Coordinates of all heavy atoms in Angstrom, one line a residue:
M20 N -1.6 -6.6 -10.2 CA -0.7 -6.0 -9.3 C 0.6 -5.7 -10.1 O 1.0 -6.4 -11.0 CB -0.3 -7.0 -8.2 CG -1.5 -7.3 -7.3 SD -2.1 -6.0 -6.2 CE -0.9 -6.1 -4.9
K21 N 1.2 -4.6 -9.8 CA 2.4 -4.1 -10.4 C 3.6 -4.5 -9.6 O 3.5 -4.9 -8.5 CB 2.4 -2.6 -10.6 CG 1.3 -2.1 -11.4 CD 1.3 -0.6 -11.6 CE 0.2 0.0 -12.4 NZ 0.4 -0.3 -13.8
P22 N 4.8 -4.6 -10.3 CA 6.0 -5.0 -9.6 C 6.4 -4.2 -8.3 O 6.9 -4.8 -7.4 CB 7.1 -4.8 -10.6 CG 6.4 -4.8 -11.9 CD 5.1 -4.3 -11.7
T23 N 6.0 -3.0 -8.2 CA 6.3 -2.2 -7.1 C 5.3 -2.4 -5.9 O 5.6 -1.9 -4.8 CB 6.3 -0.7 -7.4 OG1 5.0 -0.3 -8.0 CG2 7.4 -0.4 -8.5
D24 N 4.2 -3.0 -6.2 CA 3.1 -3.1 -5.2 C 3.6 -3.8 -3.9 O 3.3 -3.4 -2.8 CB 1.9 -3.8 -5.8 CG 1.2 -2.9 -6.8 OD1 1.6 -1.8 -7.0 OD2 0.3 -3.5 -7.5
D25 N 4.3 -4.9 -4.1 CA 4.7 -5.7 -2.9 C 5.6 -4.8 -2.0 O 5.5 -4.9 -0.8 CB 5.5 -7.0 -3.3 CG 4.6 -8.1 -3.8 OD1 3.3 -7.9 -3.8 OD2 5.1 -9.1 -4.3
Q26 N 6.5 -4.1 -2.6 CA 7.4 -3.2 -1.8 C 6.6 -2.2 -1.0 O 6.8 -1.9 0.2 CB 8.4 -2.6 -2.6 CG 9.5 -1.9 -1.8 CD 10.7 -1.4 -2.7 OE1 10.7 -1.7 -3.9 NE2 11.6 -0.7 -2.1
I27 N 5.6 -1.6 -1.6 CA 4.8 -0.6 -0.9 C 4.0 -1.2 0.2 O 4.0 -0.7 1.3 CB 3.8 0.1 -1.9 CG1 4.6 0.9 -2.9 CG2 2.8 1.0 -1.2 CD1 3.8 1.5 -4.1
L28 N 3.4 -2.4 -0.1 CA 2.6 -3.1 1.0 C 3.5 -3.6 2.1 O 3.2 -3.6 3.3 CB 1.9 -4.3 0.3 CG 0.7 -3.8 -0.5 CD1 0.1 -5.0 -1.3 CD2 -0.4 -3.2 0.3
E29 N 4.7 -4.0 1.8 CA 5.7 -4.5 2.8 C 6.1 -3.4 3.7 O 6.3 -3.6 4.9 CB 6.9 -5.1 2.1 CG 6.6 -6.5 1.6 CD 7.7 -7.1 0.7 OE1 8.8 -6.4 0.6 OE2 7.5 -8.2 0.2
I30 N 6.3 -2.2 3.2 CA 6.6 -1.0 4.0 C 5.5 -0.8 5.0 O 5.8 -0.6 6.2 CB 6.9 0.2 3.2 CG1 8.3 0.0 2.4 CG2 7.0 1.5 4.0 CD1 8.6 1.1 1.4
L31 N 4.3 -0.8 4.5 CA 3.2 -0.6 5.5 C 3.0 -1.8 6.4 O 2.9 -1.5 7.6 CB 1.9 -0.5 4.7 CG 1.6 0.9 4.0 CD1 0.5 0.7 3.0 CD2 1.2 1.9 5.1
G32 N 3.2 -3.0 6.0 CA 3.0 -4.2 6.8 C 4.1 -4.3 7.8 O 3.9 -4.6 9.0
N33 N 5.4 -4.1 7.4 CA 6.5 -4.2 8.4 C 6.5 -3.1 9.4 O 7.0 -3.4 10.5 CB 7.8 -4.2 7.6 CG 8.0 -5.5 6.8 OD1 7.3 -6.5 7.0 ND2 8.8 -5.4 5.7
S34 N 6.0 -1.9 9.0 CA 6.1 -0.8 10.0 C 5.0 -1.0 11.1 O 5.2 -0.6 12.2 CB 5.9 0.5 9.3 OG 4.6 0.7 8.9
G35 N 3.9 -1.5 10.7 CA 2.7 -1.6 11.6 C 2.2 -0.2 12.0 O 1.5 0.0 13.0
L36 N 2.6 0.8 11.2 CA 2.2 2.2 11.5 C 1.3 2.8 10.4 O 1.1 2.2 9.3 CB 3.4 3.1 11.5 CG 4.5 2.7 12.6 CD1 5.8 3.5 12.3 CD2 4.0 2.9 14.0
V37 N 0.6 3.9 10.7 CA -0.1 4.6 9.8 C 0.9 5.5 9.1 O 1.7 6.2 9.8 CB -1.2 5.5 10.5 CG1 -1.8 6.4 9.5 CG2 -2.2 4.6 11.1
L38 N 1.0 5.5 7.8 CA 2.0 6.2 7.0 C 1.4 7.1 5.9 O 0.3 6.8 5.4 CB 3.0 5.2 6.4 CG 3.8 4.3 7.3 CD1 4.7 3.3 6.5 CD2 4.7 5.1 8.3
T39 N 2.1 8.1 5.5 CA 1.7 8.9 4.4 C 2.4 8.5 3.1 O 3.4 7.8 3.2 CB 2.1 10.4 4.7 OG1 3.6 10.5 4.7 CG2 1.6 10.9 6.0
P40 N 1.8 8.8 2.0 CA 2.5 8.5 0.7 C 3.9 9.0 0.6 O 4.8 8.4 0.0 CB 1.6 9.1 -0.3 CG 0.2 9.2 0.3 CD 0.5 9.4 1.8
T41 N 4.1 10.2 1.2 CA 5.5 10.8 1.1 C 6.5 9.9 1.9 O 7.6 9.7 1.4 CB 5.4 12.2 1.7 OG1 4.5 13.0 1.0 CG2 6.8 12.8 1.7
V42 N 6.1 9.4 3.0 CA 7.0 8.6 3.8 C 7.3 7.2 3.1 O 8.4 6.8 3.0 CB 6.5 8.3 5.2 CG1 7.2 7.3 6.0 CG2 6.4 9.6 6.0
I43 N 6.2 6.7 2.6 CA 6.3 5.4 1.8 C 7.2 5.6 0.6 O 8.2 4.8 0.4 CB 5.0 4.9 1.4 CG1 4.1 4.5 2.7 CG2 5.1 3.6 0.5 CD1 2.7 4.3 2.4
A44 N 7.0 6.7 -0.1 CA 7.8 6.9 -1.3 C 9.3 7.1 -1.0 O 10.1 6.6 -1.7 CB 7.2 8.2 -2.1
F45 N 9.5 7.9 0.1 CA 10.9 8.1 0.5 C 11.6 6.8 0.8 O 12.7 6.5 0.3 CB 10.9 9.0 1.7 CG 12.3 9.3 2.2 CD1 13.1 10.2 1.7 CD2 12.8 8.5 3.3 CE1 14.4 10.4 2.2 CE2 14.1 8.7 3.8 CZ 14.9 9.7 3.2
N46 N 11.0 5.9 1.6 CA 11.6 4.7 2.0 C 11.7 3.7 0.8 O 12.6 2.8 0.8 CB 10.8 4.1 3.1 CG 11.1 4.8 4.4 OD1 12.1 4.7 5.0 ND2 10.1 5.6 4.9
A47 N 10.8 3.7 -0.1 CA 10.8 2.8 -1.3 C 11.6 3.3 -2.4 O 12.0 2.5 -3.3 CB 9.4 2.5 -1.8
G48 N 11.9 4.6 -2.4 CA 12.7 5.2 -3.6 C 11.8 5.4 -4.8 O 12.3 5.4 -5.9
F49 N 10.5 5.5 -4.6 CA 9.5 5.8 -5.7 C 9.0 7.2 -5.6 O 9.1 7.9 -4.6 CB 8.3 4.9 -5.5 CG 8.6 3.4 -5.5 CD1 7.8 2.5 -4.7 CD2 9.6 2.9 -6.3 CE1 8.1 1.2 -4.7 CE2 9.9 1.5 -6.3 CZ 9.1 0.7 -5.5
D50 N 8.5 7.6 -6.7 CA 7.8 9.0 -6.8 C 6.5 8.9 -6.0 O 5.8 8.0 -6.0 CB 7.5 9.3 -8.3 CG 7.0 10.7 -8.5 OD1 7.8 11.6 -8.3 OD2 5.8 10.8 -8.8
R51 N 6.3 10.0 -5.3 CA 5.1 10.1 -4.4 C 3.8 9.9 -5.2 O 2.9 9.3 -4.7 CB 5.1 11.4 -3.7 CG 3.9 11.5 -2.6 CD 3.8 12.9 -2.0 NE 3.7 14.0 -2.9 CZ 2.6 14.3 -3.6 NH1 1.5 13.7 -3.4 NH2 2.7 15.3 -4.4
S52 N 3.8 10.5 -6.4 CA 2.5 10.4 -7.2 C 2.3 8.9 -7.6 O 1.1 8.5 -7.6 CB 2.6 11.2 -8.5 OG 3.7 10.8 -9.3
H53 N 3.3 8.1 -7.8 CA 3.1 6.7 -8.1 C 2.6 6.0 -6.9 O 1.6 5.2 -7.0 CB 4.5 6.1 -8.5 CG 4.4 4.6 -8.6 ND1 3.8 3.9 -9.6 CD2 4.9 3.6 -7.8 CE1 3.9 2.6 -9.4 NE2 4.5 2.4 -8.3
V54 N 3.1 6.3 -5.7 CA 2.6 5.7 -4.5 C 1.2 6.1 -4.2 O 0.3 5.2 -3.8 CB 3.5 6.1 -3.3 CG1 2.9 5.6 -1.9 CG2 4.9 5.5 -3.4
N55 N 0.8 7.3 -4.4 CA -0.6 7.8 -4.3 C -1.5 7.0 -5.2 O -2.6 6.6 -4.7 CB -0.7 9.3 -4.7 CG -0.5 10.2 -3.5 OD1 -0.6 9.8 -2.4 ND2 -0.1 11.4 -3.8
R56 N -1.2 6.8 -6.4 CA -2.0 6.0 -7.3 C -2.2 4.6 -6.9 O -3.3 4.0 -6.9 CB -1.4 6.0 -8.8 CG -1.6 7.4 -9.5 CD -1.3 7.3 -11.0 NE 0.1 6.9 -11.2 CZ 1.2 7.7 -11.2 NH1 1.0 9.0 -11.0 NH2 2.4 7.2 -11.4
R57 N -1.1 4.0 -6.4 CA -1.1 2.6 -6.0 C -2.0 2.5 -4.7 O -2.8 1.5 -4.6 CB 0.3 2.0 -5.8 CG 1.2 2.0 -7.0 CD 0.5 1.5 -8.3 NE 0.0 0.1 -8.2 CZ -1.1 -0.3 -8.7 NH1 -1.8 0.4 -9.5 NH2 -1.4 -1.6 -8.6
L58 N -1.8 3.4 -3.8 CA -2.6 3.3 -2.5 C -4.1 3.5 -2.8 O -4.9 2.8 -2.2 CB -2.1 4.4 -1.6 CG -0.8 4.2 -0.9 CD1 -0.3 5.5 -0.2 CD2 -0.8 3.0 0.0
S59 N -4.4 4.3 -3.7 CA -5.9 4.4 -4.1 C -6.4 3.1 -4.6 O -7.5 2.7 -4.2 CB -6.1 5.5 -5.2 OG -5.8 6.8 -4.6
E60 N -5.6 2.4 -5.4 CA -6.1 1.1 -5.9 C -6.1 0.1 -4.8 O -7.0 -0.7 -4.7 CB -5.2 0.6 -7.0 CG -5.7 -0.6 -7.7 CD -5.0 -1.0 -8.9 OE1 -4.6 -0.1 -9.7 OE2 -4.8 -2.2 -9.2
F61 N -5.1 0.1 -3.9 CA -5.1 -0.8 -2.7 C -6.4 -0.6 -1.9 O -6.9 -1.6 -1.3 CB -3.9 -0.6 -1.9 CG -2.6 -0.9 -2.6 CD1 -1.4 -0.4 -2.1 CD2 -2.5 -1.7 -3.8 CE1 -0.2 -0.7 -2.7 CE2 -1.3 -2.0 -4.4 CZ -0.1 -1.5 -3.9
V62 N -6.8 0.7 -1.7 CA -8.0 0.9 -0.9 C -9.2 0.3 -1.5 O -10.0 -0.4 -0.9 CB -8.2 2.5 -0.7 CG1 -9.5 2.8 -0.1 CG2 -7.1 3.0 0.2
E63 N -9.3 0.4 -2.9 CA -10.4 -0.2 -3.6 C -10.4 -1.7 -3.5 O -11.5 -2.3 -3.4 CB -10.4 0.2 -5.1 CG -10.7 1.7 -5.3 CD -10.5 2.0 -6.8 OE1 -10.5 1.1 -7.7 OE2 -10.4 3.3 -7.1
K64 N -9.3 -2.3 -3.4 CA -9.2 -3.8 -3.3 C -9.2 -4.3 -1.9 O -9.2 -5.5 -1.7 CB -7.8 -4.2 -4.0 CG -7.8 -4.0 -5.5 CD -6.5 -4.5 -6.1 CE -6.6 -4.3 -7.6 NZ -5.4 -4.9 -8.3
G65 N -9.2 -3.4 -0.9 CA -9.3 -3.7 0.5 C -8.0 -4.1 1.1 O -7.9 -4.7 2.2
L66 N -6.9 -3.8 0.4 CA -5.5 -4.2 0.9 C -5.0 -3.2 1.9 O -4.2 -3.5 2.8 CB -4.5 -4.3 -0.2 CG -4.8 -5.4 -1.2 CD1 -3.9 -5.3 -2.4 CD2 -4.7 -6.8 -0.6
V67 N -5.5 -2.0 1.8 CA -5.1 -0.8 2.6 C -6.3 -0.1 3.1 O -7.3 0.0 2.4 CB -4.1 0.1 1.8 CG1 -3.8 1.4 2.5 CG2 -2.8 -0.6 1.5
T68 N -6.2 0.5 4.3 CA -7.3 1.3 4.8 C -6.8 2.8 4.8 O -5.7 3.1 5.3 CB -7.7 0.9 6.2 OG1 -8.0 -0.5 6.2 CG2 -8.8 1.7 6.8
R69 N -7.7 3.7 4.3 CA -7.4 5.1 4.5 C -7.9 5.5 5.8 O -9.1 5.6 6.1 CB -8.1 5.9 3.4 CG -7.8 7.4 3.4 CD -8.5 8.2 2.3 NE -7.8 7.9 1.0 CZ -8.4 7.3 -0.1 NH1 -9.7 7.0 0.0 NH2 -7.8 7.1 -1.2
V70 N -7.0 5.8 6.7 CA -7.3 6.2 8.1 C -7.9 7.6 8.1 O -8.9 7.8 8.8 CB -6.1 6.1 9.0 CG1 -6.4 6.6 10.4 CG2 -5.5 4.7 9.0
E71 N -7.3 8.5 7.4 CA -7.9 9.8 7.2 C -7.1 10.4 6.0 O -6.3 9.7 5.4 CB -7.7 10.8 8.4 CG -6.3 11.0 8.8 CD -6.2 11.9 10.1 OE1 -6.8 11.5 11.1 OE2 -5.5 12.9 10.0
R72 N -7.5 11.5 5.5 CA -6.9 12.0 4.3 C -5.4 12.0 4.4 O -4.8 12.6 5.2 CB -7.4 13.5 4.1 CG -7.0 14.0 2.7 CD -7.6 15.3 2.5 NE -7.2 15.8 1.2 CZ -6.8 17.1 1.0 NH1 -6.8 18.0 2.0 NH2 -6.4 17.5 -0.2
G73 N -4.8 11.3 3.4 CA -3.4 11.2 3.3 C -2.7 10.3 4.2 O -1.4 10.3 4.3
K74 N -3.4 9.5 5.0 CA -2.8 8.6 5.9 C -3.4 7.2 5.8 O -4.6 7.0 5.7 CB -3.0 9.1 7.4 CG -2.3 10.4 7.6 CD -2.6 10.9 9.0 CE -1.9 12.3 9.1 NZ -2.4 13.0 10.3
Y75 N -2.5 6.2 5.7 CA -2.9 4.8 5.3 C -2.3 3.8 6.2 O -1.2 4.0 6.8 CB -2.4 4.5 3.9 CG -3.0 5.4 2.8 CD1 -2.4 6.6 2.6 CD2 -4.2 5.1 2.2 CE1 -3.0 7.5 1.6 CE2 -4.7 5.9 1.2 CZ -4.1 7.1 1.0 OH -4.7 8.0 0.0
E76 N -3.0 2.7 6.4 CA -2.4 1.5 7.1 C -2.8 0.2 6.4 O -3.8 0.2 5.6 CB -2.9 1.5 8.6 CG -4.4 1.2 8.7 CD -4.8 1.2 10.2 OE1 -3.9 1.3 11.1 OE2 -6.0 1.2 10.4
I77 N -2.0 -0.8 6.5 CA -2.4 -2.0 5.9 C -3.5 -2.7 6.5 O -3.7 -2.6 7.8 CB -1.1 -3.0 5.8 CG1 -1.3 -4.1 4.8 CG2 -0.8 -3.5 7.2 CD1 0.0 -4.7 4.3
S78 N -4.4 -3.4 5.8 CA -5.5 -4.1 6.3 C -5.2 -5.5 6.6 O -4.1 -6.0 6.2 CB -6.7 -4.0 5.3 OG -6.4 -4.7 4.2
D79 N -6.1 -6.3 7.2 CA -5.9 -7.7 7.4 C -5.8 -8.4 6.1 O -5.0 -9.3 5.9 CB -7.1 -8.3 8.2 CG -7.1 -7.9 9.6 OD1 -6.0 -7.4 10.1 OD2 -8.2 -7.9 10.3
K80 N -6.6 -8.0 5.1 CA -6.5 -8.6 3.7 C -5.1 -8.3 3.1 O -4.5 -9.2 2.5 CB -7.6 -8.0 2.8 CG -7.7 -8.7 1.5 CD -8.9 -8.1 0.7 CE -9.0 -8.8 -0.7 NZ -10.2 -8.3 -1.4
G81 N -4.6 -7.1 3.3 CA -3.2 -6.8 2.9 C -2.2 -7.6 3.5 O -1.2 -8.1 2.8
L82 N -2.3 -7.8 4.8 CA -1.4 -8.7 5.5 C -1.5 -10.1 5.0 O -0.5 -10.9 4.8 CB -1.6 -8.7 7.0 CG -1.2 -7.4 7.7 CD1 -1.7 -7.4 9.2 CD2 0.3 -7.1 7.6
G83 N -2.7 -10.6 4.7 CA -3.0 -11.9 4.1 C -2.3 -12.0 2.7 O -1.7 -13.1 2.4
Y84 N -2.4 -11.0 1.9 CA -1.7 -11.0 0.6 C -0.2 -11.2 0.8 O 0.4 -12.0 0.1 CB -2.0 -9.7 -0.1 CG -1.1 -9.5 -1.4 CD1 -1.4 -10.3 -2.5 CD2 0.0 -8.7 -1.3 CE1 -0.6 -10.1 -3.6 CE2 0.8 -8.6 -2.4 CZ 0.5 -9.3 -3.6 OH 1.3 -9.2 -4.7
L85 N 0.4 -10.4 1.7 CA 1.8 -10.5 2.0 C 2.3 -11.9 2.5 O 3.3 -12.3 2.1 CB 2.3 -9.4 2.9 CG 2.3 -8.0 2.4 CD1 2.6 -7.0 3.6 CD2 3.2 -7.8 1.2
S86 N 1.4 -12.5 3.3 CA 1.8 -13.8 3.8 C 1.5 -14.9 2.8 O 1.8 -16.1 3.1 CB 1.0 -14.0 5.1 OG -0.3 -14.2 4.9
G87 N 0.8 -14.6 1.7 CA 0.4 -15.6 0.7 C -0.9 -16.3 0.9 O -1.3 -17.2 0.2
D88 N -1.7 -15.8 2.0 CA -3.0 -16.4 2.2 C -4.0 -15.8 1.2 O -5.1 -16.4 1.1 CB -3.4 -16.1 3.6 CG -2.6 -16.8 4.7 OD1 -2.0 -17.9 4.3 OD2 -2.5 -16.3 5.8
V89 N -3.8 -14.7 0.6 CA -4.7 -14.1 -0.4 C -3.9 -14.1 -1.7 O -2.8 -13.5 -1.8 CB -5.1 -12.6 0.0 CG1 -5.9 -12.0 -1.1 CG2 -5.9 -12.7 1.3
D90 N -4.4 -14.7 -2.7 CA -3.8 -14.8 -4.0 C -4.1 -13.6 -4.8 O -5.2 -13.0 -4.8 CB -4.4 -16.0 -4.7 CG -3.6 -16.4 -6.0 OD1 -3.6 -15.6 -7.0 OD2 -2.9 -17.4 -6.0
A91 N -3.1 -13.1 -5.5 CA -3.2 -11.9 -6.3 C -4.3 -12.0 -7.4 O -4.9 -11.0 -7.7 CB -1.9 -11.6 -7.0
S92 N -4.6 -13.2 -7.8 CA -5.7 -13.4 -8.8 C -7.0 -13.2 -8.2 O -8.0 -13.0 -8.9 CB -5.6 -14.8 -9.4 OG -5.8 -15.8 -8.4
E93 N -7.1 -13.2 -6.9 CA -8.4 -12.9 -6.2 C -8.7 -11.4 -6.0 O -9.7 -11.0 -5.6 CB -8.4 -13.6 -4.8 CG -8.3 -15.1 -4.8 CD -8.1 -15.7 -3.4 OE1 -8.4 -15.0 -2.4 OE2 -7.7 -16.8 -3.4
L94 N -7.7 -10.6 -6.4 CA -7.9 -9.2 -6.2 C -8.5 -8.5 -7.4 O -8.3 -8.8 -8.5 CB -6.5 -8.5 -5.8 CG -5.8 -9.1 -4.6 CD1 -4.4 -8.6 -4.5 CD2 -6.6 -8.9 -3.4

């Protein structure tokens, strides 16, 4: 996991909404391409679900990671 990952996941987790990479990047102050790359990896790890093209929501596993129930070493 990269230092920016928690912030991206927290935006998704705290909002409880389906968000686009552009919205996440705007709120985090990151470049959209960086957020896109991280979201793709989160989908592979099961932390985020791709609802449809360009729209993402946090998964139960992602919420578990944020709460400390899922250890980063398990990802």
Side-chain angles (χ1 to χ4, degrees):
M20 300 289 282
K21 295 184 182 284
T23 58
D24 291 352
D25 286 356
Q26 191 172 351
I27 293 169
L28 289 170
E29 286 170 2
I30 289 169
L31 281 166
N33 291 337
S34 74
L36 300 171
V37 173
L38 299 176
T39 65
T41 302
V42 170
I43 296 168
F45 177 82
N46 286 288
F49 302 144
D50 185 70
R51 185 185 54 79
S52 63
H53 171 73
V54 173
N55 271 336
R56 285 191 301 274
R57 301 313 302 147
L58 287 170
S59 292
E60 186 169 325
F61 297 160
V62 168
E63 289 177 18
K64 293 181 177 186
L66 297 170
V67 168
T68 303
R69 183 178 287 119
V70 176
E71 60 182 56
R72 186 173 180 225
K74 296 178 182 166
Y75 300 85
E76 67 183 349
I77 195 157
S78 67
D79 288 340
K80 186 175 182 178
L82 290 171
Y84 169 78
L85 289 176
S86 69
D88 293 335
V89 174
D90 192 289
S92 65
E93 298 173 15
L94 302 174

